[in-house]
Amino acid sequence: MREASMKPATRMALAAAASCLVWGTSVEAADLGGDCCADLEERIAELEATTARKGNRKVSLTVSGWVNETVMFWDDGVEQNAYVGTNTLEQSRFKFSGKAKINEDWSAGYTLEIGIKGGDLGDFSQTSDGNENSLAVRKAYWFIRSKQLGEVSVGQNGMATYHLLDDADGVNTRNYSDFEASTVFLGSFQTRVGGVLQGTANEWKDLFGGFNNGTPGQNGRRNTVRYDSPEIAGFVVTAAWGEDDMWDTKLAYAGVIGEFKVLAQVGYGESTDPGLAGVSGSGGCSKFDCQWWGAAGTILHQPTGLFVYGGYGAQQGEDLVGSGDTDDTYMIQAGIEQKFIPLGKTTIFGEYRHDEIETTGSKFDFYAAGIVQNLENAAMDLYAIYRHSEGENDALGDLDDFDTVLTGARIQF
């Protein structure tokens, strides 16, 4: 956000002074005497006291974010209903960020991002339409950046493999139907077998792998020290460490090759933090030691708008004697993204995801299709997405299918 070079109060004061000067000159010409500017300093002080302003003149302040709310229709084979709430795949949020120039090469800055939930889609279930009205700190970190050497940040931030598979989605399905969407939109719904609910200990999310939104192969937001290299020929290297003890690294590429726009990421991480044993859906990382890795990318043919996005992720845990399980997933999404109408680009897609989860003895198949319509002049996306989920578990047997239709919008500011 570009800031004005002069505060509103200062502009008002200068305008008042100019008016006073003109009025004073006129009065003198009429030989009426008096001083219309006697209380000018007092008025300036009053205006300054009532004007919103940033903390200092050296560090910039930008306020941004979005609102992402949805209506979800669901059918678990026995019950059907519709809930309204926050789309927690990429929840509503606001962000304060800024930076200051140190010299021609170096700068420093910060990010503070707060997540907002009304009705929480992640809490949707057969017995709940979502806990309401909550705030959470998503990111809170400072950074020092060099154009030549890259950036170091400290605080709550995404690890290097945070959204490793999701951020490789190079089209406008990223915030509505990326790699994590299949598991996120199942919320806290209980599984059914033969029409019978299996209880809160057997929710869909309890059977998934990975420790970040049920998706093996990528990490989350942690308290971390992170390094991002400068971009070189489209490549950026990221490495992070934190959370006693966890580390990961990523190589990302973004560029254009001939008629094709390409976005790709590959990463690897390890954790020896047994505290992850208490994380819901931690999968193999509930063991003493775990590793995860993944790769994903998007190729878009620019003349036609045809695209393919997909990837693979895995997570493996080991106990003290070296035994453990591996959870993995792969997904492919294909479609077309073109500006068919003047309002903005239209993205039409279909996708398939498959999971093999050794830690819970489960297998899943997810299918989806949908449309996202961008409204350029409103910085807004409208979306409608159908999802079908099916699976099996060694202890429970074949799970009843689960279907959802998600409709909503995200508007940015």
Side-chain angles (χ1 to χ4, degrees):
M1 177 181 70
R2 187 178 66 184
E3 297 181 352
S5 60
M6 190 179 300
K7 294 182 179 179
T10 305
R11 293 197 300 270
M12 292 174 67
L14 289 176
S19 297
C20 184
L21 180 61
V22 172
W23 175 248
T25 302
S26 176
V27 167
E28 288 178 4
D31 197 24
L32 296 177
D35 185 4
C36 74
C37 300
D39 64 344
L40 181 58
E41 290 187 2
E42 181 180 351
R43 291 294 298 136
I44 291 175
E46 290 176 0
L47 290 169
E48 289 284 1
T50 58
T51 301
R53 55 191 183 275
K54 61 192 179 76
N56 60 62
R57 298 169 184 262
K58 296 180 180 179
V59 182
S60 66
L61 169 64
T62 300
V63 180
S64 61
W66 61 67
V67 176
N68 190 5
E69 301 294 314
T70 189
V71 179
M72 189 174 84
F73 305 86
W74 58 270
D75 182 350
D76 68 358
V78 174
E79 183 181 357
Q80 303 84 36
N81 212 328
Y83 293 156
V84 180
T86 302
N87 185 337
T88 49
L89 181 66
E90 289 296 344
Q91 70 186 98
S92 302
R93 65 193 64 180
F94 60 90
K95 180 170 71 173
F96 302 103
S97 60
K99 63 180 180 179
K101 184 177 179 180
I102 299 173
N103 57 34
E104 290 302 317
D105 185 38
W106 291 90
S107 61
Y110 63 92
T111 291
L112 177 61
E113 183 176 282
I114 309 297
I116 306 171
K117 297 177 184 177
D120 184 355
L121 185 150
D123 288 328
F124 286 179
S125 71
Q126 288 89 345
T127 59
S128 172
D129 60 358
N131 296 322
E132 297 182 356
N133 302 327
S134 65
L135 298 175
V137 177
R138 293 175 51 84
K139 295 181 180 181
Y141 65 88
W142 57 262
F143 66 82
I144 296 178
R145 179 183 300 153
S146 164
K147 296 177 183 178
Q148 304 295 322
L149 302 176
E151 175 182 302
V152 173
S153 60
V154 178
Q156 183 166 311
N157 195 3
M159 293 286 286
T161 56
Y162 175 53
H163 284 321
L164 174 72
L165 308 176
D166 305 317
D167 285 345
D169 183 348
V171 296
N172 201 25
T173 59
R174 167 61 183 87
N175 297 290
Y176 319 107
S177 192
D178 54 29
F179 217 107
E180 292 183 348
S182 297
T183 52
V184 168
F185 291 143
L186 282 166
S188 296
F189 284 96
Q190 298 176 38
T191 57
R192 286 188 187 269
V193 175
V196 179
L197 286 174
Q198 298 302 298
T200 56
N202 290 300
E203 297 172 352
W204 284 86
K205 66 182 181 181
D206 295 323
L207 306 181
F208 297 142
F211 56 76
N212 193 67
N213 288 331
T215 303
Q218 55 187 14
N219 204 341
R221 297 184 304 275
R222 315 286 179 190
N223 295 309
T224 182
V225 177
R226 169 171 163 157
Y227 168 74
D228 293 89
S229 76
E231 181 267 327
I232 301 175
F235 290 94
V236 174
V237 175
T238 302
W241 167 87
E243 292 285 353
D244 189 37
D245 283 316
M246 177 185 294
W247 68 269
D248 59 4
T249 187
K250 175 184 72 176
L251 175 65
Y253 172 79
V256 176
I257 302 175
E259 295 183 333
F260 295 91
K261 185 177 180 180
V262 179
L263 177 63
Q265 300 196 139
V266 59
Y268 175 85
E270 289 191 7
S271 173
T272 56
D273 183 1
L276 286 175
V279 177
S280 176
S282 59
C285 282
S286 63
K287 305 287 187 179
F288 175 76
D289 185 23
C290 74
Q291 307 86 39
W292 59 94
W293 56 93
T298 300
I299 299 177
L300 182 145
H301 185 237
Q302 295 187 98
T304 63
L306 294 172
F307 70 87
V308 176
Y309 156 59
Y312 170 83
Q315 182 172 296
Q316 183 178 57
E318 296 181 1
D319 56 27
L320 291 174
V321 296
S323 62
D325 300 313
T326 299
D327 304 331
D328 63 7
T329 179
Y330 65 84
M331 189 189 88
I332 186 167
Q333 179 187 100
I336 185 169
E337 183 170 274
Q338 273 284 15
K339 194 171 184 178
F340 297 113
I341 59 177
L343 294 175
K345 286 185 177 180
T346 304
T347 307
I348 303 171
F349 69 94
E351 70 180 41
Y352 169 72
R353 169 175 158 170
H354 178 77
D355 290 29
E356 300 264 355
I357 311 301
E358 291 185 358
T359 55
T360 64
S362 304
K363 296 180 182 179
F364 300 99
D365 292 296
F366 305 102
Y367 305 86
I371 182 170
V372 181
Q373 179 61 57
N374 175 250
L375 306 179
E376 289 182 357
N377 290 340
M380 190 176 195
D381 292 321
L382 307 176
Y383 53 88
I385 302 168
Y386 165 74
R387 295 194 168 279
H388 174 82
S389 305
E390 57 187 54
E392 61 182 74
N393 175 263
D394 291 346
L396 300 175
D398 290 336
L399 309 179
D400 293 357
D401 295 352
F402 193 95
D403 294 289
T404 63
V405 174
L406 199 76
T407 61
R410 183 178 72 116
I411 184 167
Q412 302 178 68
F413 60 87

